[in-house]
């Protein structure tokens, strides 16, 4: 993993909505170095190829190229960056499509505040993550529960 001079992993944000890019930046800037943003799929491919981030936070529904196409192109180009999808799509077909092109995490935009930082930390350590509608029904993997407790200690 590449890190900046302060030891923070490098993140690229790609979403067509400025307010979502701002919200994601707000959530991640304390723990990560936001090295760039993109507002469409073509810009995301170009930025990821140029900046070589550790992780891309990638919206599924973007103009020019959608997130699935972006992830597929990045893999074709040999880019090994981790991919965390953010989306309004809760349909299992979208989840399956995202993981089939190399996603490490899939976060519902309705759960950004509760899930994104956790998902990004986990993704950087190689853990898979999928948002769920009702958190109380989720049986967490012991490794993810351990990571979550470590993050809680870090923020305290």
């Amino acid at each position: 993993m590449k890190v900046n001079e302060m030891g923070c992993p490098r993140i690229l944000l790609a979403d067509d909505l400025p307010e979502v890019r701002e919200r994601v930046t707000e959530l991640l800037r304390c723990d990560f170095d936001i090295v760039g943003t993109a507002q469409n799929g073509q810009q995301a491919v170009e930025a990821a190829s140029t900046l070589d981030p550790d992780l891309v936070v990638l919206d599924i529904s973007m103009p020019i190229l959608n997130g699935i196409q972006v992830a597929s192109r990045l893999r074709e180009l040999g880019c090994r960056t981790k991919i965390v999808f953010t989306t309004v799509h809760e349909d299992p077909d979208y989840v399956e499509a995202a993981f089939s092109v190399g996603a490490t995490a899939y976060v519902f935009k309705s759960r950004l505040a509760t899930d994104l930082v956790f998902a990004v930390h986990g993704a950087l350590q190689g853990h898979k993550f999928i948002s769920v509608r009702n958190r109380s029904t989720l049986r967490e993997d012991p490794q993810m529960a351990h990571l979550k407790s470590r993050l809680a200690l870090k923020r305290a």
Side-chain angles (χ1 to χ4, degrees):
M1 175 171 31
K2 299 160 293 298
V3 294
N4 67 7
E5 57 279 350
M6 296 171 46
C8 296
R10 303 171 72 245
I11 308 290
L12 171 67
L13 308 179
D15 196 293
D16 57 321
L17 300 174
E19 58 273 14
V20 174
R21 289 193 309 271
E22 290 170 17
R23 179 68 176 134
V24 170
T25 298
E26 179 183 302
L27 290 167
L28 298 179
R29 70 176 165 215
C30 290
D31 293 342
F32 306 101
D33 181 13
I34 309 300
V35 295
T37 62
Q39 53 189 317
N40 66 56
Q42 185 61 42
Q43 287 178 355
V45 171
E46 292 167 4
S49 298
T50 303
L51 299 170
D52 193 25
D54 298 303
L55 185 139
V56 178
V57 175
L58 183 60
D59 182 22
I60 283 186
S61 300
M62 288 190 297
I64 304 178
L65 297 172
N66 67 42
I68 302 295
Q69 293 168 318
V70 170
S72 183
R73 290 244 177 116
L74 292 177
R75 296 301 176 240
E76 289 170 5
L77 294 170
C79 184
R80 299 177 53 88
T81 188
K82 305 283 187 192
I83 297 173
V84 172
F85 279 104
T86 59
T87 184
V88 296
H89 302 289
E90 298 183 13
D91 185 294
D93 290 338
Y94 279 96
V95 177
E96 186 176 332
F99 281 95
S100 74
V101 293
T104 308
Y106 191 94
V107 177
F108 301 148
K109 287 186 177 180
S110 62
R111 300 202 46 92
L112 284 176
T114 57
D115 292 356
L116 185 62
V117 173
F118 179 70
V120 170
H121 275 286
L124 288 166
Q125 294 183 9
H127 301 290
K128 303 282 186 190
F129 180 88
I130 301 171
S131 285
V132 293
R133 285 187 211 162
N134 183 353
R135 212 37 146 166
S136 65
T137 63
L138 179 66
R139 290 187 183 151
E140 288 187 326
D141 176 76
Q143 290 178 323
M144 294 302 278
H146 175 67
L147 175 60
K148 191 174 184 179
S149 68
R150 283 185 35 217
L151 290 174
L153 291 174
K154 181 179 177 185
R155 294 195 180 280

